[in-house]
Amino acid sequence: MVTTTTQEFAGPNEAYAQAYGDNGALAIPPARKLAIVTCMDARVDPAAALGLKLGDAHVIRNAGGVAADSIRSLVISQRLLGTREIALFHHTDCGMLTFSSDQLRGIVLKESGGVDVGDALAAVGSFHEFGDVEAAVKADVAFLKAHPLVLKETVVTGWVHQVETGKVRRIV
Amino acid sequence: MVTTTTQEFAGPNEAYAQAYGDNGALAIPPARKLAIVTCMDARVDPAAALGLKLGDAHVIRNAGGVAADSIRSLVISQRLLGTREIALFHHTDCGMLTFSSDQLRGIVLKESGGVDVGDALAAVGSFHEFGDVEAAVKADVAFLKAHPLVLKETVVTGWVHQVETGKVRRIV
């Protein structure tokens, strides 16, 4: 069933705003000079799982927690807002393990209903699926360390978030 | 000061895992068939601000909460994991209001230290800055509603998150 977000956000947000306290005075630059990259997965709550307080860290999330899809955001995070550390997370039981870009393009083409989706699919390019979570973490950390737009002095760590237990484990 | 995330995540994550309860049994598809698109800003905590429970919604975050930078993730969210509603948030006091793509490219070029950043900057393209938060929300909602890769039956709403108060307000 499709939800009606307007009503469902209202109650919790009113309570959140009433307990907001001094948070309204927080500055734009993240206090811990930290950027998190992680998956959009509904079972991942980075603030809760990592003990991030409001104002601590940038949190970049996309399908998979894919580094290649975070570069625009990381440049803004580092060059304009002063972050100097990146913690990249992938997680167990990730949807990115379940398909190939070719399969997904096939699904989109089949469901297109006559709309021309060719140019839009070409603009997306790879859907950045992966076959092994730990290997993907290592590859993404290496990608960030070698990327010409990521500052050389950046501390980059790679992690797996276990959605079965809530535990995080550093890989690299 | 650059933090050492390994130590700082450990304590909070242990407490999180101990209180994880039945969350390990949550399914991959978001229970509310909802995808949130919002900014990476450190002062935004979507789960807390909107009352999202673990497993409820995909959360896509990038610099600005920019729709154009969320398409790959939204295709995976909709076609493979069943979401049918998108709530897009921008927020007050956003870093995206403070620069132009040309200025940021200039900063990167100046700080490049002899590394060739031209191809990497070209690959990023626009940094997707904006000049007015509400107008940007409206434009992004229109962009998603018209996008050939977003399912036609999608409910798309647009919101502003006030970082001064914690309150969210629906715009469109």
Side-chain angles (χ1 to χ4, degrees):
Chain A
M1 198 189 86
V2 173
T3 58
T4 305
T5 53
T6 305
Q7 288 308 313
E8 297 191 346
F9 291 163
N13 182 248
E14 194 174 317
Y16 179 74
Q18 282 181 359
Y20 204 60
D22 295 334
N23 285 322
L26 289 168
I28 302 188
R32 286 169 62 174
K33 299 187 185 301
L34 170 66
I36 306 282
V37 178
T38 192
C39 187
M40 68 179 178
D41 192 284
R43 299 163 298 173
V44 172
D45 181 344
L50 305 176
L52 301 176
K53 295 194 305 293
L54 213 64
D56 271 355
H58 283 148
V59 181
I60 299 162
R61 301 182 63 176
N62 61 50
V66 169
D69 205 11
S70 69
I71 297 299
R72 178 187 68 88
S73 297
L74 287 171
V75 170
I76 292 167
S77 177
Q78 296 198 321
R79 308 301 177 119
L80 299 178
L81 296 165
T83 64
R84 291 295 180 271
E85 180 167 8
I86 302 169
L88 179 131
F89 290 76
H90 291 179
H91 66 88
T92 54
D93 197 37
C94 186
M96 303 299 284
L97 298 159
T98 67
F99 72 95
S100 74
S101 286
D102 278 346
Q103 287 172 343
L104 183 47
R105 282 185 209 106
I107 291 170
V108 172
L109 285 164
K110 192 178 167 190
E111 294 177 349
S112 65
V115 176
D116 182 3
V117 293
D119 289 351
L121 282 173
V124 169
S126 171
F127 282 94
H128 292 299
E129 69 273 21
F130 43 78
D132 179 276
V133 173
E134 286 197 25
V137 167
K138 289 176 185 170
D140 265 10
V141 168
F143 172 87
L144 289 172
K145 286 185 172 178
H147 199 285
L149 298 184
V150 175
L151 290 169
K152 287 304 146 213
E153 64 265 36
T154 309
V155 176
V156 187
T157 56
W159 304 70
V160 171
H161 180 125
Q162 295 180 284
V163 295
E164 299 82 3
T165 62
K167 289 183 183 169
V168 300
R169 184 165 57 88
R170 184 168 168 186
I171 301 299
V172 61
Chain B
M1 196 187 89
V2 173
T3 59
T4 305
T5 53
T6 306
Q7 288 309 313
E8 297 191 346
F9 291 163
N13 183 247
E14 193 174 316
Y16 180 74
Q18 282 181 359
Y20 204 60
D22 295 335
N23 285 322
L26 289 168
I28 300 187
R32 285 169 62 174
K33 298 187 186 302
L34 169 66
I36 306 282
V37 178
T38 191
C39 187
M40 68 179 179
D41 192 285
R43 298 163 298 173
V44 172
D45 181 344
L50 305 175
L52 302 176
K53 293 195 306 294
L54 213 64
D56 270 356
H58 283 148
V59 181
I60 298 162
R61 301 182 63 176
N62 60 51
V66 169
D69 206 10
S70 69
I71 297 299
R72 179 187 68 87
S73 297
L74 287 171
V75 170
I76 293 168
S77 177
Q78 296 198 320
R79 307 302 176 119
L80 299 178
L81 296 165
T83 63
R84 291 295 181 271
E85 180 166 8
I86 301 169
L88 179 131
F89 290 77
H90 292 181
H91 66 88
T92 54
D93 196 36
C94 186
M96 303 299 284
L97 298 160
T98 66
F99 71 97
S100 73
S101 287
D102 278 346
Q103 287 172 341
L104 183 48
R105 282 184 209 106
I107 291 170
V108 172
L109 285 164
K110 192 178 167 191
E111 296 176 348
S112 66
V115 176
D116 181 2
V117 295
D119 288 351
L121 282 173
V124 169
S126 171
F127 282 94
H128 292 298
E129 69 274 20
F130 44 79
D132 179 277
V133 173
E134 285 196 25
V137 167
K138 289 176 185 169
D140 265 10
V141 167
F143 172 87
L144 289 173
K145 287 185 172 177
H147 199 284
L149 298 184
V150 175
L151 290 169
K152 286 304 146 214
E153 64 265 38
T154 309
V155 176
V156 187
T157 56
W159 304 69
V160 171
H161 180 124
Q162 295 180 284
V163 295
E164 298 82 3
T165 62
K167 290 183 183 169
V168 300
R169 184 165 57 90
R170 184 168 169 185
I171 301 298
V172 61

